[in-house]
Amino acid sequence: MSLSLNQWTTRRWSVAEAVDGCVRHGLEAIGLWRQDVAEQGLAETVKLVRAAGLRVSSLCRGGFLTAGGLPGEEGRRAFAEALDDNRRAVDEAAELGAACLVMVVGGLPGVRPGEPLGERSGQAPGEGPAGPSPFSRDLAGARERVAEGLAELAPYAGERGVRLALEPLHPMYCPDRAVISTLGQALDLSLPFPPQQVGVVVDTFHVWWDPQLFEQIARAGDRIASYQVCDYLHPLPADVLLGRGMMGDGVIDFRPITRAVQEAGYTGDVEVEIFNADVWAADPDEVLATMKARYAGVVLPA
């Protein structure tokens, strides 16, 4: 396995700066985000990455397939728009030669990340402007929409040599970001498709707590498409999205997880993905130096 920088760990850097930083620090791979690639330009990003000799360990993100659970025409339109956006993401991943397209599948239909319930129309929480709720509480139905979306997208991705990587997120993100919370759930959704089309992400921040983690990593085997690492801070900040810390600064015991991922047969890149205001404010070169030291001293098995 080899160390990779997820671009948002050094969020102050543009794509070009992050690519240059990887080269200067001796990294062989980079994880990219679609909005930053769009700002740099897809063709220019491809040129930069190839000229630097880097692998693209992942492209983030596709997904958000659950909006199709809204009723009537609104749901049909939302599902069609989500599929169109995911097809574009697949095409971008193919151009970049990304090892996988990370899929954050979406939360409950109508619940938007970071937005209080009812905020859009000024109604009380749970009350729509005309009586019915503007969001759905149907968790099982939302998960069915994810399966339907994968059935549409997996063949498209397979034809273009792109692997969809389902990422389970910590249960606190279930309402607004991902109705898949465990590695086992992600694996169950992946099984109808060839491993080359649909795999899973093992992200330590999201799965470290799972009592079935090691069993599910072994079960995943060649479906592990990405291994992402960062620490789980305690206490979490007010914005729980920013509760990711540098490895060694939180509560996760990384070495057993890394060993299990290796024993499952994973030989891809280990991508450091940190969302943290203090890390983002720090000198990115210092962040990379610390990241390399912690990878060697905390993440890799002794």
Side-chain angles (χ1 to χ4, degrees), residues 49-257:
V49 170
R50 290 179 181 171
L54 296 177
R55 297 183 298 276
V56 177
S57 53
S58 74
L59 178 65
C60 197
R61 61 192 178 201
F64 286 87
L65 299 168
T66 56
L70 293 171
E73 181 59 30
E74 184 177 4
R76 288 189 290 271
R77 183 176 63 251
F79 190 58
E81 290 173 353
L83 291 177
D84 286 345
D85 183 64
N86 276 274
R87 293 186 188 101
R88 288 192 294 271
V90 167
D91 293 342
E92 293 162 15
E95 284 292 314
L96 290 163
C100 64
L101 173 64
V102 174
M103 302 289 286
V104 176
V105 298
L108 291 171
V111 180
R112 298 186 179 184
E115 184 176 279
L117 299 179
E119 182 76 12
R120 277 167 287 165
S121 303
Q123 68 269 31
E127 296 180 1
S133 173
F135 66 93
S136 170
R137 294 182 173 89
D138 184 4
L139 179 57
R143 289 170 176 156
E144 290 175 4
R145 301 294 84 73
V146 176
E148 291 172 3
L150 286 175
E152 294 281 345
L153 295 170
Y156 184 89
E159 290 170 0
R160 287 150 183 82
V162 172
R163 194 179 197 189
L164 306 179
L166 299 175
E167 182 171 19
L169 267 57
H170 191 282
M172 64 184 166
Y173 300 118
C174 187
D176 61 351
R177 285 184 170 85
V179 294
I180 300 173
S181 301
T182 68
L183 189 57
Q185 288 176 308
L187 284 169
D188 289 345
L189 280 168
S190 75
L191 291 179
F193 312 100
Q196 298 80 11
Q197 288 185 8
V198 183
V200 296
V201 180
V202 177
D203 184 320
T204 56
F205 178 85
H206 293 301
V207 301
W208 70 275
W209 58 273
D210 186 350
Q212 293 189 332
L213 177 60
F214 295 101
E215 174 188 337
Q216 295 301 327
I217 288 175
R219 177 188 171 213
D222 63 358
R223 286 196 184 266
I224 300 177
S226 177
Y227 180 39
Q228 296 182 335
V229 296
C230 71
D231 220 329
Y232 188 102
L233 300 179
H234 182 79
L236 290 170
D239 184 349
V240 295
L241 189 66
L242 305 184
R244 293 168 170 255
M246 186 65 70
M247 299 81 71
D249 288 351
V251 299
I252 297 177
D253 187 2
F254 288 93
R255 286 174 174 157
I257 301 174

Side-chain angles (χ1 to χ4, degrees), residues 3-13 17-18 21-22 24-27 229-230 244-249 271-296 299:
L3 184 61
S4 173
L5 169 70
N6 183 287
Q7 187 190 354
W8 267 35
T9 299
T10 53
R11 193 174 177 185
R12 289 164 50 187
W13 273 349
E17 290 169 328
C22 286
R24 285 188 286 104
H25 286 267
L27 304 184
V229 296
C230 71
R244 293 168 170 255
M246 186 65 70
M247 299 81 71
D249 288 351
E271 192 174 286
V272 177
E273 183 185 58
I274 300 174
F275 301 169
N276 182 289
D278 292 334
V279 172
W280 289 344
D283 181 343
D285 281 297
E286 293 181 4
V287 171
L288 259 68
T290 302
M291 183 181 92
K292 291 168 62 179
R294 298 289 182 88
Y295 173 70
V299 175

Side-chain angles (χ1 to χ4, degrees), residues 7 15-16 18-20 22-23 27-32 37 40-58 95-98:
Q7 187 190 354
V15 167
V19 166
D20 181 64
C22 286
V23 172
L27 304 184
E28 299 177 1
I30 187 169
L32 297 171
V37 169
Q40 185 73 49
L42 178 60
E44 179 63 19
T45 300
V46 171
K47 287 171 58 178
L48 287 168
V49 170
R50 290 179 181 171
L54 296 177
R55 297 183 298 276
V56 177
S57 53
S58 74
E95 284 292 314
L96 290 163

